[in-house]
Amino acid sequence: MNKPNQLRMTVYAALFVALIAIGAFIHIPIGPIPIVLQNMFVLLAGIILGPVWGLACVAIYLFIGICGLPVFSGGHSGIGWILGPTGGYLIAYLPAVVATASISKILGQKFSGNVIAMVAGSVIIYALGVPWLKFAFSMTWTKAFAAGMYPFIIGDCVKVIAAAMIARMLKPVVTLQPQNKTA
Amino acid sequence: MAELTLFTYRKGDSLLHLLDVRCKFILLCLTSICIFKAHFSSVFLFIFVLIFFFINCRINLLKNLSGLAFFLLLLVLMFISRSVALPGDPVFTLFDISVTKQGMTDGALMVSRFFTIMMAGILFSITTRPASLKNAIQWLLKPVPFVPEKRVAVMVSLALTFLPLILRQANQVSDAQKARLGNLNKNPVKKIVRLSIPLLKKTFVSADNLAFAMEARCYDEDRTDPEFHLSGKEGLFFIGGLVLSACLVLY
Amino acid sequence: MKTPLIKIENLNHSFSDGTCGIRDICLCIDPEEFIILAGRNGSGKTTLIRHFNGLLHPSSGKITLNGNSIFKDINLARKKIGMIFQDADTQIVGDTVFDEVAFGLENLKIERQYITKKVMQVLKQLHLDHLKDRSPATLSGGEKRKLAIAGILVMEPDIILFDEPFSNLDYPGTLSILEILIDLHESGRTIIVAAHNMEAIIAHATRLIIMEDGRIKKDGPPKDLVKTLERFGIKEPCSSRLGFGIQPWQN
């Protein structure tokens, strides 16, 4: 990768770190449970940045949170929050972003492919988040699913469709640079 | 914005403010790990140490507890679920669910550990400038193979500059939509898309400009190393931290 | 005949989507000139000045600095030709005022001691030294613009390019930036300002270049061209319109 493009990817990845952090604070009131946009930005980071930069972006987000910057939901930070009951969802962002990015790449970054990729990503987030929650609270599986997954499914469907539409509209903005390729 | 500034850096000249950020960070990590071995006596010792530093920084902990409401709720839930889940001598029984003594002890211990880590983390955030934290991250990642620590440091710094920019633009976009009664739209997908597209387009244009601005200023990953300020008390703190960690593991 | 500072020969640039940015630009710039590059939005001003320091690569033609192609040593060109972007918000990289100013020197891997000295000197010069630990996001519009200038001045440029330096500034902000521009010119630097509203600066300029559709249409002393400005969609300064000729904006 040449130097200006590498710089551009560095800047875009940093932008997604900020978006993921802010995603924890943007609530969209729909139905009884407000939708938080954080996991949508994680999945979008995968689709737009690709597996390597996407992973770097999520890793840096988690890392600065662990290091004490208040970027987790509710302005929290620190290793305690990651090890806490909802930490599984955060750790799951790492495999989720790689999976989403890879599947989207394999399926050719089309609308339907992106939807499948993001559904897979969401499944990974719950696959790690729900058991973590279960063991932290030592609750039954039924209860863990009822508290940590079912209420969010509708919101997630909405987010996945919205994210696929956003990815489609954003692609020309991100790829069409006034920079020529000879750089 | 208020939520974002809750536990951020506050200016000051307390012991912890002046302490080298690397020392602070290593001690934070060490004690956070050791505390999972700790029992009540050493957890309380740690809490006393933290209270001393909170007073030293002149920060009123009770005032800030409201910002921790969600975290405290999680802790309460954790305590209750532990109390009922562990088998042992029942303290009282309600609708066939018995709260056990062992469960309550175990729950209280777990909760106090998490609470202490959270407090330590808040203390760290309040006394550490994001800029020096970024420098510490770069220094700590240096020995880690395959991680370009300087690029990570630049990305952290950029992410920090993007945060206020995006928040301001998000507010602008949301106001512009309210001005055109966009908030009456009931379709949730459209709601997200209409909010996100202008926001993301704007921020990506900003990101492009920023990349140009960095290039114009000779951006290079091979940069001058950051500098650190030692307060002279690092040795003392290290010894104190090690003793505390030993206490946490042993008692 | 001495060589001009910057010489541009037959410069063309078309964007990757096929649209033409600038066409057949030939331009010589001598030391200590104060040039206004005027033109309506989309006339190619920004595209042209982004070629000066190699942010954009020309489709054809060449640019030389002191007789050498700028691409021969791009970092030298970017150090000598400083550039202030239109939107001050999106060119700020550092998370404190000090770090922001130090960014360029850090990229050149200059040693820390010199950086600290130089940054403080420039901050004092622009009266920003009391803000050195502040986060740039919390500064006013005028202060941000000044900060952007400080970030360029530490690199000791000979030529400074300003892209719309007065956009989004209030009256005091405009005055303070104008003062800095005049000082910089008096200290022997070459100033190039891209603007579509030249009310504030035209009295101080030595040369006016008018662009339209990516071409240079007029090039000469401001007093000769000021009456033709409105033909190119640029507002004629009030004083000239009212028949008082070009008057300085201050006092």
Side-chain angles (χ1 to χ4, degrees), chain A residues 8-111:
Chain A
R8 200 148 259 119
M9 283 312 282
T10 308
V11 176
Y12 285 158
L15 175 61
F16 265 105
V17 173
L19 282 171
I20 293 172
I22 282 178
F25 297 91
I26 303 180
H27 302 268
I28 295 187
I30 298 163
I33 297 157
I35 290 188
V36 178
L37 293 183
Q38 180 165 50
N39 52 359
M40 184 184 90
F41 284 129
V42 171
L43 301 175
L44 260 182
I47 287 181
I48 290 176
L49 301 175
V52 177
W53 285 97
L55 180 67
C57 151
V58 172
I60 288 175
Y61 165 71
L62 294 177
F63 190 62
I64 60 175
I66 291 172
C67 289
L69 290 174
V71 291
F72 297 149
S73 54
H76 295 293
S77 65
I79 195 116
W81 192 254
I82 290 267
L83 295 174
T86 57
Y89 295 101
L90 288 174
I91 296 288
Y93 287 161
L94 290 169
V97 73
V98 175
T100 306
S102 315
I103 296 174
S104 148
K105 221 173 192 175
I106 293 166
L107 295 179
Q109 305 205 312
K110 290 193 192 70
F111 186 86

Side-chain angles (χ1 to χ4, degrees), chain B residues 36-70:
Chain B
F36 282 97
K37 285 260 172 206
H39 291 286
F40 280 113
S41 46
S42 51
V43 170
F44 281 120
L45 173 70
F46 195 6
I47 290 181
F48 276 121
V49 172
L50 290 178
I51 289 176
F52 166 75
F53 283 120
F54 268 107
I55 294 169
N56 186 252
C57 300
R58 292 187 205 91
I59 281 160
N60 189 344
L61 192 57
L62 293 175
K63 254 190 203 162
N64 290 314
L65 282 183
S66 59
L68 279 171
F70 181 60

Side-chain angles (χ1 to χ4, degrees), chain A residues 3-4 6-8 10-19 21-22 25-30 35 37 40-41 44 48 53 60 63-64 66-71 74-77 79-81 83-86 135-138 158-159 161-162 165-166 169-170 173-174 177-179, chain B residues 3-4 6-8 25 28 32 36 67-68 70-71 74 77-78 81-82 85 110 114 117-118 121 124-125 130 133 137 141 151-152 154-156 158-160 162-163 166-167 170 188-189 191-193 195-197 199-201 203-205 207-208 210-212 214-215 219-221:
Chain A
K3 219 169 155 191
Q6 180 167 334
L7 168 62
R8 200 148 259 119
T10 308
V11 176
Y12 285 158
L15 175 61
F16 265 105
V17 173
L19 282 171
I22 282 178
F25 297 91
I26 303 180
H27 302 268
I28 295 187
I30 298 163
I35 290 188
L37 293 183
M40 184 184 90
F41 284 129
L44 260 182
I48 290 176
W53 285 97
I60 288 175
F63 190 62
I64 60 175
I66 291 172
C67 289
L69 290 174
V71 291
H76 295 293
S77 65
I79 195 116
W81 192 254
L83 295 174
T86 57
F135 289 113
F137 286 137
S138 13
V158 170
K159 275 185 269 186
I161 306 224
M165 287 167 77
I166 291 166
M169 291 190 217
L170 210 57
V173 185
V174 178
Q177 303 302 337
Q179 177 75 272
Chain B
E3 285 170 304
L4 271 184
L6 197 57
F7 301 120
T8 44
F25 185 72
L28 177 71
S32 299
F36 282 97
L68 279 171
F70 181 60
F71 183 70
L74 275 182
L77 285 176
M78 204 183 218
S81 66
R82 285 263 157 185
M110 279 295 269
F114 272 114
I117 296 184
M118 206 62 207
F124 179 78
S125 303
L133 179 61
I137 289 174
L141 287 179
R151 192 187 303 165
V152 171
V154 168
M155 282 169 75
V156 171
L158 288 178
L160 290 176
F162 276 130
L163 280 173
I166 298 173
L167 276 176
V189 176
K191 235 177 180 171
I192 298 180
V193 171
L195 185 76
S196 307
I197 288 285
L199 176 64
L200 288 173
K201 274 190 178 162
T203 46
F204 269 98
V205 170
D208 252 8
L210 195 70
F212 270 127
M214 288 168 73
E215 239 186 303
Y219 173 69
D220 199 315
E221 257 170 33

Side-chain angles (χ1 to χ4, degrees), chain C residues 208-221:
Chain C
L208 180 61
I209 297 172
I210 302 176
M211 286 186 74
E212 192 176 48
D213 295 333
R215 291 175 201 276
I216 291 181
K217 287 288 161 101
K218 298 267 177 194
D219 184 351

Side-chain angles (χ1 to χ4, degrees), chain C residues 149-168:
Chain C
I149 297 175
I152 296 303
L153 282 187
V154 281
M155 318 254 279
E156 297 179 337
D158 296 330
I159 303 148
I160 307 178
L161 308 169
F162 290 86
D163 196 352
E164 301 286 357
F166 303 110
S167 63
N168 287 327

Side-chain angles (χ1 to χ4, degrees), chain B residues 69-86:
Chain B
F70 181 60
F71 183 70
L72 293 176
L73 182 73
L74 275 182
L75 289 184
V76 171
L77 285 176
M78 204 183 218
F79 176 69
I80 295 171
S81 66
R82 285 263 157 185
S83 314
V84 296
L86 274 179

Side-chain angles (χ1 to χ4, degrees), chain B residues 210 217 222-225, chain C residues 100 106-107 109-110 112:
Chain B
L210 195 70
R217 286 163 75 187
D222 189 18
R223 324 182 58 229
T224 313
D225 285 324
Chain C
E100 164 62 17
E106 285 176 358
N107 287 333
K109 227 173 182 251
I110 286 164
R112 180 59 62 180

